[in-house]
Amino acid sequence: MSSSEYDDDSFSESGSEYNLSDVSDSESSVDSDQSISTARNWVDVDINNPSPPPPRFPFTGNPGCRFNINNVDPLAFFKLFFDLHLVNLIVSETNRYALQQPRSSRHQWEPVTVGEIYTFLAICILQGIVKKPDERMYWSTNDLFFTPIFPKLMTKNRFAEIKQNLHFADNASFDSSTHPAPKLNKILAIVNNLNSKFSRLYEPERDITVDESLLLFKGRISWRQYIPLKRSRYGVKFFMLCESSSGYLYKFIIYTGKDTILDPKYNQMQITSQIVLSLVDPLLNKGHCVTTDNYYTSPQLADYLISHQTDIYGTLRLNRRGIPDIIKRKKLKKGEIVAQQRGKVMILKWEDKKNCYAAIYSAQCHTCI
């Protein structure tokens, strides 16, 4: 994605930074080999006597765990994701960073071990369960605050030393001109490692969903988002693909503005479609059904997914490209419905009380009429 086409806020959902109604105006057209031919015309759907809905694609996936779950305790589950390979990376880079510090602090550093990193991570998890207003209170001997498990696991000073030097990448080898994601250079190794394990250790069921999540963060980074409707409001935005029934996170992308890492084979498509397809790509041609909200849904995305044996349904913004004029312009009264269909894709618009809604479907589409 070139920086000339999209600015840093082109993924933003926050009203003050970016107006999402402008997304479709800057969308580029799709190459003919990337979508179903648009030679098919939209036709009216008889609301009073609709034809049978098109069936879903046959589901050929093999959902479930890719590891033996017999007699696996919580620690074993944790180590499936934070295995020795990943922890050894953290150990080596943390020790490297500590030795790169000025001599006055370097001579006091005791090299961290694999066991200490696991203990450090355990303390971080416990701090999310046992919440206190100040980190020092976890090691307080005051009867009001004393929690004996923390000093038993690690001393306060050692925890502070590891936290101060915790690192996941070698700063000395970083080159912004060649790095694939300069803004994520300090954590990219961890991101790629976890993303790979999320998709390798579990395959989702038929129904999946794509949406965004906001991780609370109030530090100073250029891609921090402000989304007033989210609980955190300020933070780092993630685009996430999850299994609908369980919420299992299969794959995620961290938003970093124009440098956001997306699959280059979709770079001729509109930006919202790029996000969805970069996440869904490993699951195409298996009969999955993707649910999206109106930020991502478009006829272009539906056409491409259908051409790869993947169903879709979701709400729709009426300014997206490819929506028939009758759907965009027809004024409806309360309870009225208008629908158009092209092949397996149907766009539906209805008036409910004071608001007008639109949605797009690729399977079982007439059941909502």
Side-chain angles (χ1 to χ4, degrees), residues 126-134 137-138 150 231:
L126 284 173
Q127 288 177 344
I129 300 172
V130 183
K131 296 184 179 180
K132 298 186 180 183
D134 190 287
M137 288 184 178
Y138 290 102
F150 291 96
R231 182 176 181 181

Side-chain angles (χ1 to χ4, degrees), residues 3-26:
S3 59
S4 61
E5 289 184 82
Y6 307 104
D7 59 22
D8 282 347
D9 297 325
S10 60
F11 296 85
S12 176
E13 202 179 38
S14 52
S16 61
E17 294 181 358
Y18 187 70
N19 183 0
L20 284 177
S21 64
D22 296 333
V23 170
S24 63
D25 295 334
S26 62

Side-chain angles (χ1 to χ4, degrees), residues 79-95:
K79 287 186 175 180
L80 286 172
F81 300 95
F82 283 82
D83 56 12
L84 281 176
H85 173 74
L86 180 57
V87 173
N88 278 323
L89 170 67
I90 299 173
V91 168
S92 61
E93 294 303 336
T94 298
N95 285 327

Side-chain angles (χ1 to χ4, degrees), residues 25 69 105 119 136 151 154 157 183 185 189 275 311 353:
D25 295 334
I69 61 175
S105 59
T119 303
R136 292 171 296 181
M154 184 177 288
N157 290 341
K183 293 180 179 179
N185 73 89
I275 296 169
D311 285 309
K353 295 182 180 179

Side-chain angles (χ1 to χ4, degrees), residues 203-205 208 241 250 279-288 308-310:
E203 183 170 333
E205 297 175 354
I208 55 180
L241 170 62
Y250 180 80
L279 292 168
V280 176
D281 185 76
L283 301 176
L284 293 177
N285 299 302
K286 293 183 179 181
H288 285 280
H308 289 77
Q309 301 288 305
T310 304

Side-chain angles (χ1 to χ4, degrees), residues 40-46 324 339-343 345-347:
R40 294 178 178 174
N41 295 321
W42 292 101
V43 297
D44 292 331
V45 175
D46 186 351
Q340 292 261 301
Q341 187 161 356
R342 184 181 67 191
V345 180
M346 188 189 77
I347 296 179

Side-chain angles (χ1 to χ4, degrees), residues 144-159:
L144 291 173
F145 310 115
F146 182 52
T147 311
I149 186 62
F150 291 96
K152 285 183 181 178
L153 291 174
M154 184 177 288
T155 66
K156 178 180 67 176
N157 290 341
R158 184 56 172 170
F159 181 85

